[in-house]
Every structure is written in C-alpha cells, then in structure tokens.
Amino acid sequence: QKEVEQNSGPLSVPEGAIASLNCTYSDRGSQSFFWYRQYSGKSPELIMFIYSNGDKEDGRFTAQLNKASQYVSLLIRDSQPSDSATYLCAVISSGSARQLTFGSGTQLTVLP
Amino acid sequence: DGGITQSPKYLFRKEGQNVTLSCEQNLNHDAMYWYRQDPGQGLRLIYYSQIVNDFQKGDIAEGYSVSREKKESFPLTVTSAQKNPTAFYLCASSSGTVHQPQHFGDGTRLSIL
C-alpha cells in the first residue's frame, strides 16, 4: 500500500508568520508531488507542484522536495487569514498510471 | 472559459436508487478521474480513464460504475450496492502526461434521504 502521511493539525500561526506543512511518502519511486489548498466545502485547488529535488518558489509559497528522505514540504511566507484552509499533499507513485495518492490533509489556521 | 463542470451540486438518493453524477470538461484532457472525500479525510480514487472507451477501477470502486463514451464526459453512477454513499464527490482531469497536475471540478455533495 502506497501511503502519503501528513500531520492532521490543526496548525495555527499568527498573521505574517511562516507556516510550514510537511508530508512524507512511502514509495521511493514516486515521481511528482503536488500541494492542493481546500477551503471548507470547496474542491481542491492546485497551489504548487514539484518533481526535482530542492526548492521551488512561487510568490509566497515554496515547495521543498527531498527524495532521499522521502518528504515534501510547503512553506507559506507572510501568512494571511485567507490562507486558512486544509492543505492536501498528493503524490504520483511509480507504476501508478498517473494516479494521485492523497494525504489526509493538514488544517491551517492563520490568526489575525 | 476552460474548466470542469460537475452537476448537480447537491444530490439526494433514496434507498435502492441509482443516481448519476455528471462531469464534463472542455480542457481537451485525455485523463479523467473520480474521487470520493469523507469528512476530515483525503481523497480516495473510485475510477479513472486515460482514454475514451477505457477505464480502470481505483481503490474503492465497489458500488460504483462509470462510462467514457466521449473525451469530454465521464459520468459516475452510484448504485444501490453502495451502502454508504454520503460523501463529497470530485471529478478531475489532466493531460495524462507525467508530471502534469490534476484539476478539479466544484464537486457534488451526495446525501441519503
């Protein structure tokens, strides 16, 4: 069973702080890694994707991938109350015909 | 506007009834997917299709059926064999090539009457 693990939270950070969200995966052959944001009652929205070791930055968001340690993280700088949502980590595993395996999500609350 | 349209937004099912959830995309994507999400949980794959007239079971296919007669459409039927159908159902599509992300429709919330 290929697994994706996230801390369920809730994670609370003050406005303006850095929020750090972590995800580990079990399949060493995993190829692509995605972060989705999901507001309550809404569908997931793609935030970032990464498939090479290292950092990838997009505005206030940075995705970090370490394949040797099998973890991927998402940093949100200058957190805003509008960032309050559940963040889902998703992984395309090896031999999976492009199927995404999702973690259960981390609930983030940014306190004004 | 390109996107994925799911309908209806809310659906109620009576005991013993089959219901069909619609998913249409105009992104010219080859691959389409159906997921189920239960409260406080991640998404679980029900069925997926990488090409017209072909589809495969995901992790929780029992009690569900699909068809892929057109590239743009991938309807999901929740049959009476699915004893716990109450959930949020999400349709997604992607180009199907490696590294390409999936994009989601707005979802259908299904409840039992």
Side-chain angles (χ1 to χ4, degrees):
Chain A
Q1 181 77 7
K2 296 168 182 173
E3 295 182 346
V4 178
E5 300 285 342
Q6 296 181 253
N7 288 330
S8 60
L11 172 66
S12 295
V13 299
E15 185 173 354
I18 295 175
S20 177
L21 305 163
N22 300 312
C23 173
T24 59
Y25 58 95
S26 62
D27 182 8
R28 190 169 287 277
S30 296
Q31 303 172 44
S32 307
F33 308 86
F34 304 87
W35 283 100
Y36 287 85
R37 177 175 64 197
Q38 187 175 27
Y39 292 114
S40 181
K42 302 295 185 182
S43 65
E45 170 193 10
L46 182 69
I47 298 295
M48 295 280 294
F49 65 92
I50 187 168
Y51 45 83
S52 299
N53 270 332
D55 295 0
K56 179 181 179 182
E57 187 174 316
D58 184 1
R60 296 186 296 112
F61 299 97
T62 299
Q64 299 175 316
L65 175 60
N66 184 325
K67 289 186 177 180
S69 300
Q70 295 176 242
Y71 85 79
V72 57
S73 63
L74 179 70
L75 300 179
I76 307 174
R77 290 182 300 281
D78 188 23
S79 295
Q80 302 297 309
S82 59
D83 294 326
S84 298
T86 296
Y87 289 80
L88 299 168
C89 174
V91 175
I92 293 182
S93 301
S94 57
S96 65
R98 264 61 101 186
Q99 293 178 56
L100 277 176
T101 301
F102 283 84
S104 57
T106 298
Q107 185 180 345
L108 172 67
T109 300
V110 180
L111 303 169
Chain B
D1 258 22
I4 303 168
T5 301
Q6 289 188 243
S7 62
K9 192 168 184 176
Y10 299 96
L11 187 58
F12 298 92
R13 194 192 86 169
K14 295 179 183 178
E15 291 287 341
Q17 184 182 41
N18 295 348
V19 292
T20 297
L21 285 61
S22 171
C23 178
E24 304 276 334
Q25 55 98 0
N26 60 6
L27 300 167
N28 199 33
H29 282 167
D30 287 317
M32 296 186 74
Y33 309 82
W34 274 106
Y35 294 91
R36 169 182 172 140
Q37 187 175 36
D38 293 284
Q41 298 192 27
L43 280 65
R44 292 184 290 168
L45 183 65
I46 305 172
Y47 269 98
Y48 66 99
S49 169
Q50 293 181 287
I51 197 168
V52 174
N53 292 323
D54 188 43
F55 49 83
Q56 285 78 39
K57 294 181 179 180
D59 299 322
I60 55 166
E62 186 174 349
Y64 300 96
S65 65
V66 294
S67 63
R68 187 87 186 276
E69 297 177 1
K70 299 186 298 181
K71 186 176 185 177
E72 306 78 29
S73 179
F74 192 40
L76 173 74
T77 297
V78 183
T79 74
S80 57
Q82 173 49 248
K83 298 306 180 188
N84 184 22
T86 298
F88 190 36
Y89 290 86
L90 290 155
C91 178
S93 72
S94 77
S95 66
T97 55
V98 68
H99 300 317
Q100 290 306 305
Q102 295 178 19
H103 298 276
F104 288 85
D106 289 339
T108 293
R109 201 165 295 276
L110 176 62
S111 303
I112 296 181
L113 276 180

